Amino acid sequence: GNVSFSCLEPQVVPVTFLSSSSYLALPGTSGQDEVFVSFQFRTWNKEGLLLSSKLHHSSAGFLLYLSDGRVKINLHKTGRVLSDIAAGAGLNNGQWHSVSLSVKRNRISLRVDNDATSSAHASIPLQIYSGDVFYFGGCPSSGNISECNTSFGGFQGCMRLISIGNKPVDMISVQQNGFGNFSDLQIDLCGITDRCLPNYCEHGGECSQSWNSFHCNCANTGYKGATCHYPIYEQSCEAYKHRGNTSGFYNIDSDGSGPLGPFLVYCNMTDATWTIIQHNSTNLTRVKSANRENPHTVFFKYSASLDQLQATINLADHCEQELAYYCKKSRLLDKSDGMPLSWWIGRTNETHTYWGGSLPAVQKCACGQEGSCIDSQHYCNCDADRDEWTNDTGFLSYKDHLPVTEIVITDTDRPNSEAAYRLGPLLCRGDRTFWNSASFNTETSYLHFPTFHGELSADVSFFFKTTASSGVFLENLGIQDFIRIELHSPHEVVFSFDVGNGPTEVTVQSHSSLNDNQWHYVKAERNVKEASLQIDQLPQRSHSAPPDGHIRLQLNSQLFVGGTASRQKGFLGCIRSLQLNGMALDLEERAKITPGVEPGCPGHCSSYGNLCHNGGKCREKYSGFSCDCTLSAYAGPFCKKGKHVSAYFWTGTSVTYNFQEYYTLAKNSSSHASSFYADMTLTKEAIMFAFRTTRTPSLLLYVSSFYKEYLSVILTRNGDLQIRYKLDSHQDPDVFSISFKNMADGQLQHVKINREEEMLSVEVNQNERMKFILSSGTEFNAIKSLTLGKILENSDVDEETMKANSQGFIGCLSSVQFNHIAPLKAALHHSSSDPVIVKGRFTESNCGTLTGADSTSSETTHSFADHSGPIDEGKPLANAIRSDSAIIGGVIAVVIFILLCITAIAIRIYKKKGIYSKNEAKGSENEDSAESALKSELSMQNTANENQKEYFF
């Protein structure tokens, strides 16, 4: 039939709106009673004006626009909105979408993508007549075109297949100025750019974009920054500790901004910071009926991937994992053929036949390493192949082999043969990069490392301290590109670089000096979107990159640290914990072989000493610092956590702390004591303690002076707290009463007293706060001693203090602190140098942590049998003398103890035999209690072994 071998498609001519000032003006037929316009568009922008027109002979008009990815039409008249309807969703996804607008008489219809479900209709209280011009994408900037004055700006994107009144618009004619008008358009081309392809958002960040740029949503990635490049979590538990954090669960990111993600660990913050990583099988597991043909194999899965574990292990100073192997006629090594009967597999999938406590590459256990195996012919206790339980237990500590990922056991299929194993969590200590540092001693000295090259993102972080006013921290050069970070002045750090778009600088200024010989933190990052610089906790400064400029760093020289290749003024001072893109640079190793640079930097306490709380003293270490809590009432890595030191005071108990300077001098001199205190004048005190009692009146605390000045803190007869300051021996004391409640109610009461000259502030139970003013003076001269409980020496005190002292204090005292002195802790945990005298019955207790309901039982059930016995009266603890009667009593106590032990052993053997018989009768009915059953069996065996031994008393 009539066939034409061609297919005539309508010519599609797209047009690109390049900027927010682009527009296309097309003529319409004025005065018609209907308006019909259709077109297709694509864009990345959520907002923008698509179409606008003024109606014929009217002050009304309409706007068709994008808002939050939806198409909306707004019909307005003299500033009043007559109709506002919307259709579609997510239309800013870069795909082509069709829009058709129909207005006839008083009905308006809007359809998107020819989808009935994406349509909207409305009736309007106005007869519509078409105008003479339709503006697509925007309006001319000149003139007053009210229908284009919008808050959402012009359209940036592409349009095609524009039709007005069902007549297609010939864009080629528009281009040739045949009709219409336009500005800043690109005709016959859709110039939209997909800025999320390739996706520059790292670590799983979600990319979204507009016409000019892209945005990365970093939520739930563990990273931050313009491209989700920089980690929000610390690299190690050590880093958390030196932010002042205490033990707990933390996310760590061992490779920083590298490809590995963060994961959860437990940080045990002690003097040595331990990272604890658990796995899926920590219970004691029993094994029977396993042989080489049918081995028992167990796989261990950790809370992190093997790559994450490797990064953590590489970062640590030391790692270990306890492996316990219990055996009864179950060997680890077959001595006849030298083949292992059990083994474990490490991170690199290599088989290992050494066991806990031994060195790698030898088939030994801990006892073989120490020469203490039960059979000297073997290197493991289990290889003795005895028909009784024994074990080979110890720590595996060769980092390259950790963690254990698999254990294989094959020798439990012989009669009465059995084994059990338990693998502990992976434990890692320290962070070898956190304190890795170098000291630059001349302005021409520097270290050099491999360079950045072709990097899209580059981040640098480090700590520095200096007294110099300027100097270059690091520099890296290319033919044209460069990167440099420098201390430009004592208050200013500058990050400068060039990736081919011209030199750029980012500057951070600090109000305080940066050359104060304190550690300061620097983080600089440059990526395809922006460059940023942060110093300490100051606000981050950033500089946006051009949208279509060069993006890769092309550097071909070495990275110079502490100096420059051009021999400009280098850096004088210390640099620590230098990291590039999450990789630590070993400054100390390079410094060992570089003239003018020394490994390590002293003086950490100057920056981190404020982390030691409650009178704790910062002690320097080669790698970091530690808090000495000896003089603090608190314990823990920062002297603010841990056990509250508490003691129970009985009738007449007295604890006196002689201030150290007097105590030392008085032993070596007969001069008048007050002469030693010419410089021991206090103008302020910080006192803190807690107490619990039901007795009134009571003396809680008393500080004496060689000049008859004193401070006493008492409970009055009605339970009021009273503070009595006498800072002038010729005046009556200042008396301040806190009487909001009866404080002798058996509940634990917390008191803080702070004086600075004449200003006194008191805080009770962390909510009642009061301020007072002293009139008796501002200086506490020649302080002599501090007494808790009862004052036993002759003291010139007022009548109320004497009444309170009549019975001293009966009850609980806890966490006593006077300035930097912890007298209660010194009395309980004394050393030979502590100047403490204790008289009366005095017992360490947990009464400072019990609830009020437990207080009565606490006071009525104290027994010296649970403690170290009464402390000798009348002498300093350093010089306590035991009497002959005490020695005789001790001998009698030892004899009674031995007789009790013999009786207990006999009873235990009898009971264990009964338990063992019952367990045998039950057989394997209770497999879930394998661990407790094995413990019972081991205990029974140990008891039987003890019974076979001969003892001499």
Side-chain angles (χ1 to χ4, degrees):
N2 187 12
V3 176
S4 174
F5 290 93
S6 66
C7 186
L8 299 177
E9 293 285 348
Q11 186 179 12
V12 177
V13 181
V15 57
T16 304
F17 295 77
L18 296 173
S19 69
S20 58
S21 61
S22 302
Y23 72 91
L24 171 63
L26 297 176
T29 303
S30 179
Q32 290 190 337
D33 63 351
E34 65 177 343
V35 177
F36 183 80
V37 181
S38 65
F39 59 92
Q40 293 183 357
F41 74 91
R42 62 184 297 201
T43 186
W44 298 116
N45 291 3
K46 291 183 177 182
E47 297 182 340
L49 179 62
L50 295 172
L51 173 65
S52 64
S53 180
K54 185 177 180 181
L55 301 180
H56 180 67
H57 290 317
S58 171
S59 59
F62 69 85
L63 300 172
L64 186 69
Y65 60 97
L66 273 176
S67 177
D68 197 25
R70 306 187 72 196
V71 173
K72 292 187 175 183
I73 185 167
N74 177 289
L75 185 65
H76 58 88
K77 182 179 181 180
T78 61
R80 184 165 58 94
V81 176
L82 302 177
S83 178
D84 192 358
I85 61 175
L91 302 178
N92 61 319
N93 60 0
Q95 304 298 314
W96 285 107
H97 297 282
S98 64
V99 177
S100 60
L101 170 66
S102 174
V103 183
K104 189 171 184 180
R105 296 186 179 90
N106 62 346
R107 181 131 180 111
I108 184 168
S109 298
L110 179 65
R111 174 170 288 197
V112 175
D113 290 338
N114 295 318
D115 185 356
T117 61
S118 296
S119 301
H121 310 277
S123 297
I124 53 178
L126 182 70
Q127 184 69 39
I128 297 296
Y129 295 96
S130 62
D132 57 354
V133 180
F134 294 93
Y135 292 98
F136 290 85
C139 294
S141 57
S142 60
N144 183 20
I145 304 175
S146 60
E147 61 268 22
C148 286
N149 294 334
T150 64
S151 60
F152 37 79
F155 172 76
Q156 288 179 286
C158 301
M159 290 188 184
R160 69 182 184 184
L161 299 178
I162 300 174
S163 176
I164 300 175
N166 288 319
K167 293 180 180 180
V169 175
D170 185 354
M171 291 304 302
I172 298 299
S173 297
V174 173
Q175 185 182 28
Q176 296 171 352
N177 296 320
F179 70 100
N181 190 18
F182 64 89
S183 174
D184 203 16
L185 295 186
Q186 197 173 38
I187 298 178
D188 203 14
L189 175 69
C190 180
I192 193 170
T193 300
D194 190 344
R195 299 188 182 277
C196 287
L197 189 66
N199 184 1
Y200 294 121
C201 301
E202 303 178 45
H203 300 109
E206 183 180 342
C207 181
S208 60
Q209 56 187 310
S210 63
W211 181 261
N212 292 320
S213 65
F214 68 92
H215 171 74
C216 296
N217 182 0
C218 305
N220 302 317
T221 66
Y223 297 84
K224 61 183 178 180
T227 59
C228 311
H229 176 74
Y230 204 78
I232 64 175
Y233 301 114
E234 296 289 352
Q235 206 160 357
S236 66
C237 289
E238 186 80 19
Y240 278 113
K241 177 182 177 181
H242 290 90
R243 282 174 44 180
N245 296 76
T246 54
S247 298
F249 286 96
Y250 296 91
N251 282 296
I252 63 171
D253 196 333
S254 299
D255 72 334
S257 58
L260 303 177
F263 61 97
L264 191 67
V265 301
Y266 185 82
C267 296
N268 188 14
M269 310 294 193
T270 59
D271 282 344
T273 306
W274 288 94
T275 302
I276 303 174
I277 306 173
Q278 292 286 356
H279 56 77
N280 62 334
S281 181
T282 57
N283 293 330
L284 186 67
T285 305
R286 302 183 75 161
V287 181
K288 296 181 180 180
S289 306
N291 53 43
R292 286 177 172 171
E293 290 72 31
N294 184 30
H296 173 87
T297 304
V298 59
F299 298 91
F300 299 95
K301 293 183 179 180
Y302 292 81
S303 57
S305 69
L306 289 180
D307 289 336
Q308 290 171 321
L309 293 174
Q310 180 175 353
T312 303
I313 292 169
N314 292 342
L315 203 64
D317 293 324
H318 169 83
C319 291
E320 63 187 30
Q321 196 167 15
E322 187 180 38
L323 179 55
Y325 187 85
Y326 297 89
C327 52
K328 184 169 66 173
K329 290 193 68 64
S330 175
R331 298 158 295 168
L332 295 171
L333 177 70
D334 188 346
K335 197 170 184 181
S336 62
D337 58 10
M339 295 297 292
L341 294 169
S342 295
W343 58 89
W344 59 274
I345 295 175
R347 181 182 71 235
T348 57
N349 210 30
E350 295 180 352
T351 298
H352 304 290
T353 56
Y354 71 96
W355 295 82
S358 178
L359 296 176
V362 293
Q363 291 183 336
K364 289 184 179 181
C365 301
C367 70
Q369 195 74 28
E370 300 167 357
S372 59
C373 296
I374 58 176
D375 187 336
S376 60
Q377 298 183 25
H378 299 281
Y379 295 120
C380 293
N381 288 325
C382 291
D383 289 344
D385 205 26
R386 294 189 176 181
D387 192 12
E388 63 180 11
W389 284 106
T390 187
N391 74 89
D392 287 296
T393 300
F395 283 93
L396 303 167
S397 58
Y398 189 63
K399 286 171 59 176
D400 288 352
H401 294 168
L402 295 177
V404 177
T405 60
E406 183 180 345
I407 292 178
V408 181
I409 298 172
T410 68
D411 188 28
T412 59
D413 66 339
R414 295 176 294 153
N416 206 29
S417 177
E418 189 174 357
Y421 62 86
R422 175 167 44 214
L423 179 67
L426 176 65
L427 308 175
C428 289
R429 182 186 68 219
D431 180 345
R432 64 182 183 84
T433 67
F434 190 77
W435 297 107
N436 189 288
S437 58
S439 179
F440 297 84
N441 301 322
T442 68
E443 291 183 352
T444 59
S445 58
Y446 59 84
L447 303 176
H448 54 84
F449 295 90
T451 183
F452 291 115
H453 188 72
E455 301 283 355
L456 285 172
S457 296
D459 73 86
V460 181
S461 65
F462 58 91
F463 294 85
F464 78 90
K465 68 174 183 174
T466 184
T467 57
S469 59
S470 62
V472 177
F473 296 123
L474 59 87
E475 181 183 80
N476 204 341
L477 303 176
I479 297 175
Q480 179 180 353
D481 299 0
F482 75 90
I483 182 172
R484 182 185 300 115
I485 305 175
E486 61 183 308
L487 180 66
H488 191 263
S489 73
H491 296 269
E492 183 180 276
V493 175
V494 177
F495 172 35
S496 54
F497 62 93
D498 187 353
V499 294
N501 304 316
T504 303
E505 286 188 354
V506 184
T507 302
V508 172
Q509 286 190 328
S510 171
H511 294 296
S512 57
S513 297
L514 299 174
N515 63 340
D516 57 357
N517 207 29
Q518 305 285 313
W519 285 114
H520 296 282
Y521 178 66
V522 178
K523 178 179 77 72
E525 180 184 350
R526 185 265 152 201
N527 53 58
V528 299
K529 193 170 176 64
E530 67 178 20
S532 63
L533 176 65
Q534 183 165 12
I535 308 298
D536 295 331
Q537 300 301 317
L538 296 172
Q540 178 177 285
R541 303 296 182 189
S542 60
H543 185 279
S544 298
D548 298 309
H550 297 278
I551 59 175
R552 292 188 182 273
L553 274 170
Q554 302 294 339
L555 305 171
N556 51 18
S557 74
Q558 296 244 312
L559 173 69
F560 289 81
V561 178
T564 67
S566 56
R567 301 290 180 180
Q568 295 180 16
K569 184 178 181 180
F571 173 71
L572 283 174
C574 286
I575 294 178
R576 171 171 70 82
S577 189
L578 175 60
Q579 299 202 3
L580 276 67
N581 281 353
M583 296 182 60
L585 302 186
D586 197 338
L587 299 173
E588 294 187 355
E589 284 301 312
R590 289 293 174 101
K592 291 176 182 177
I593 57 173
T594 305
V597 185
E598 295 182 0
C601 289
H604 303 299
C605 282
S606 61
S607 296
Y608 296 104
N610 62 334
L611 293 178
C612 299
H613 296 273
N614 300 309
K617 298 299 181 183
C618 184
R619 305 297 184 199
E620 290 285 345
K621 297 167 62 177
Y622 177 77
S623 295
F625 73 98
S626 64
C627 293
D628 183 353
C629 305
T630 303
L631 297 177
S632 173
Y634 292 83
F638 305 114
C639 309
K640 65 177 184 178
K641 288 287 185 180
K643 180 181 178 183
H644 293 263
V645 178
S646 307
Y648 193 82
F649 284 64
W650 303 83
T651 302
T653 302
S654 175
V655 173
T656 301
Y657 187 100
N658 292 300
F659 290 101
Q660 184 69 39
E661 291 83 354
Y662 163 70
Y663 185 75
T664 303
L665 293 168
K667 290 191 297 184
N668 302 307
S669 174
S670 60
S671 301
H672 192 274
S674 62
S675 64
F676 301 128
Y677 270 84
D679 60 343
M680 281 302 295
T681 295
L682 298 181
T683 59
K684 57 184 179 180
E685 296 89 43
I687 306 168
M688 179 174 59
F689 62 92
F691 71 92
R692 185 203 304 275
T693 188
T694 57
R695 305 293 185 91
T696 61
S698 292
L699 178 68
L700 298 171
L701 179 144
Y702 172 74
V703 182
S704 65
S705 160
F706 288 105
Y707 294 158
K708 297 183 180 181
E709 298 173 3
Y710 65 87
L711 159 67
S712 65
V713 183
I714 67 174
L715 286 180
T716 64
R717 187 169 298 278
N718 60 0
D720 292 349
L721 180 69
Q722 200 170 85
I723 301 166
R724 309 177 73 87
Y725 260 106
K726 185 172 183 178
L727 301 186
D728 186 336
S729 59
H730 302 294
Q731 293 186 22
D732 292 335
D734 289 308
V735 179
F736 308 103
S737 295
I738 294 92
S739 56
F740 68 95
K741 62 170 286 189
N742 179 5
M743 300 189 69
D745 58 359
Q747 302 295 316
L748 192 64
Q749 317 287 350
H750 296 269
V751 178
K752 289 184 179 180
I753 302 171
N754 288 278
R755 180 185 73 91
E756 188 157 353
E757 295 184 337
E758 75 276 5
M759 300 303 299
L760 179 68
S761 62
V762 182
E763 179 183 299
V764 178
N765 295 332
Q766 301 176 343
N767 51 25
E768 297 292 335
R769 295 176 177 87
M770 290 138 284
K771 291 185 180 295
F772 307 98
I773 299 178
L774 275 70
S775 61
S776 63
T778 61
E779 294 183 348
F780 199 168
N781 296 293
I783 59 172
K784 177 183 178 184
S785 62
L786 181 149
T787 299
L788 304 174
K790 188 175 180 65
I791 306 170
L792 298 180
E793 64 180 14
N794 293 327
S795 300
D796 187 9
V797 296
D798 60 273
E799 184 178 352
E800 289 300 320
T801 302
M802 288 298 295
K803 289 179 181 178
N805 189 53
S806 60
Q807 65 176 357
F809 176 76
I810 301 174
C812 171
L813 277 176
S814 176
S815 304
V816 181
Q817 188 93 27
F818 180 86
N819 292 345
H820 65 281
I821 302 295
L824 193 60
K825 183 177 181 181
L828 290 167
H829 307 152
H830 63 280
S831 65
S832 60
S833 61
D834 286 328
V836 183
I837 297 175
V838 176
K839 295 183 179 181
R841 302 171 66 188
F842 176 63
T843 311
E844 185 170 7
S845 170
N846 63 348
C847 58
T849 58
L850 293 176
T851 62
D854 300 324
S855 62
T856 304
S857 61
S858 169
E859 292 183 12
T860 57
T861 59
H862 273 285
S863 169
F864 291 115
D866 297 330
H867 303 281
S868 58
I871 296 173
D872 190 38
E873 300 181 13
K875 298 287 184 182
L877 297 186
N879 303 306
I881 302 173
R882 295 180 176 87
S883 67
D884 291 342
S885 60
I887 296 173
I888 296 171
V891 171
I892 295 172
V894 169
V895 172
I896 294 172
F897 177 74
I898 292 172
L899 293 174
L900 290 173
C901 288
I902 295 171
T903 306
I905 290 172
I907 294 172
R908 188 181 179 198
I909 293 172
Y910 177 80
K911 288 186 176 180
K912 288 296 180 181
K913 285 181 178 179
I915 294 171
Y916 186 72
S917 300
K918 292 179 182 178
N919 288 339
E920 286 293 300
K922 289 182 180 177
S924 59
E925 293 177 2
N926 190 10
E927 291 295 332
D928 292 338
S929 61
E931 182 171 356
S932 59
L934 179 58
K935 288 180 179 178
S936 176
E937 191 172 341
L938 290 172
S939 177
M940 173 63 198
Q941 177 184 299
N942 292 336
T943 303
N945 290 341
E946 290 291 318
N947 192 42
Q948 294 168 9
K949 295 179 182 179
E950 185 175 275
Y951 292 91
F952 173 76
F953 296 105

